[in-house]
Amino acid sequence: MFSQEIGAKYQSDAAKLLVAFFNRNAINLIDYVKEREEDRWEANNLRELHTWGMELDVSAYLNIGKTLQEIRFGYTYLNDTLKDAFTLFSRYSINSLKHQFTVNHTSSLTKFMSINSSLRYGQKPNDLSYLVVDVGTQLNFRQFALRISGYNIFNEQYSLTNFIPMPLGNVSISMQYKF
């Protein structure tokens, strides 16, 4: 496997910017593949996978009144070319997202409470796409932190890899204690 990456990063008190371009050539990959959806997965040696793409991440930090706001935008583009492959279904090698957009917002409402939300859009090379929304809040009390998060709140049906569905809407509650 031979990989190259070049990027640049800028950071200040008000913003952060990251941009990167990458290229990867992989030879003789082992993947689980099958010809038809109803077939069983079989380990197989894939000849060559060429992946190139770019990543962009921009964050802005704002003070609105006395509350700190962070807004973050991200975009990733991947282009996979699988050479000499004679299979229709791959479990790992050719399942990456072609486009992924993310938007995150975090707001410190008070020194004790913050809220966050995120939106993720993904599109695969076969044009299947999804849009997922997550929300959460955190309450801080001295050494304790209580987090309540809702994931995939609109019950979007999607998968990150072939045939493995991601969970529908769910809630997570966690507590942290700092010594």
Side-chain angles (χ1 to χ4, degrees):
M1 187 173 334
F2 185 64
S3 300
Q4 311 90 43
E5 180 174 345
I6 188 167
K9 183 178 181 180
Y10 168 80
Q11 187 167 350
S12 72
D13 291 340
K16 183 170 41 173
L17 171 68
L18 166 76
V19 63
F21 298 91
F22 50 86
N23 184 55
R24 181 180 82 174
N25 291 312
I27 298 172
N28 293 325
L29 291 174
I30 295 177
D31 194 1
Y32 286 90
V33 297
K34 58 184 178 178
E35 294 300 316
R36 296 184 315 261
E37 193 170 343
E38 61 273 5
D39 290 347
R40 289 183 170 219
W41 292 107
E42 292 181 14
N44 199 342
N45 191 341
L46 302 178
R47 301 267 184 216
E48 185 177 345
L49 177 65
H50 176 81
T51 303
W52 64 272
M54 61 88 59
E55 178 181 9
L56 174 68
D57 194 66
V58 179
S59 296
Y61 308 100
L62 311 163
N63 280 310
I64 298 177
K66 293 184 178 182
T67 63
L68 177 64
Q69 311 287 316
E70 178 186 358
I71 301 172
R72 182 177 176 189
F73 299 93
Y75 173 70
T76 303
Y77 173 79
L78 292 175
N79 185 323
D80 289 328
T81 304
L82 185 60
K83 297 180 181 178
D84 299 330
F86 305 105
T87 184
L88 294 176
F89 298 97
S90 163
R91 187 174 274 178
Y92 303 111
S93 295
I94 54 177
N95 297 326
S96 56
L97 293 171
K98 186 170 189 168
H99 300 282
Q100 179 171 304
F101 295 95
T102 58
V103 179
N104 299 297
H105 175 255
T106 301
S107 177
S108 299
L109 299 178
T110 69
K111 68 179 188 177
F112 302 108
M113 182 180 182
S114 64
I115 59 171
N116 60 53
S117 58
S118 69
L119 178 121
R120 290 175 285 143
Y121 170 82
Q123 181 185 11
K124 293 188 175 190
N126 59 8
D127 289 329
L128 287 176
S129 62
Y130 63 85
L131 180 66
V132 175
V133 177
D134 303 328
V135 295
T137 188
Q138 179 168 319
L139 304 170
N140 298 304
F141 309 99
R142 296 184 185 173
Q143 291 99 342
F144 287 97
L146 174 66
R147 287 187 198 101
I148 302 171
S149 301
Y151 300 101
N152 192 6
I153 63 171
F154 296 115
N155 290 322
E156 180 76 13
Q157 294 184 354
Y158 71 105
S159 65
L160 294 180
T161 60
N162 273 353
F163 315 113
I164 301 172
M166 296 302 291
L168 295 176
N170 60 87
V171 174
S172 169
I173 300 172
S174 64
M175 181 180 270
Q176 179 182 19
Y177 179 79
K178 296 178 185 175
F179 292 95

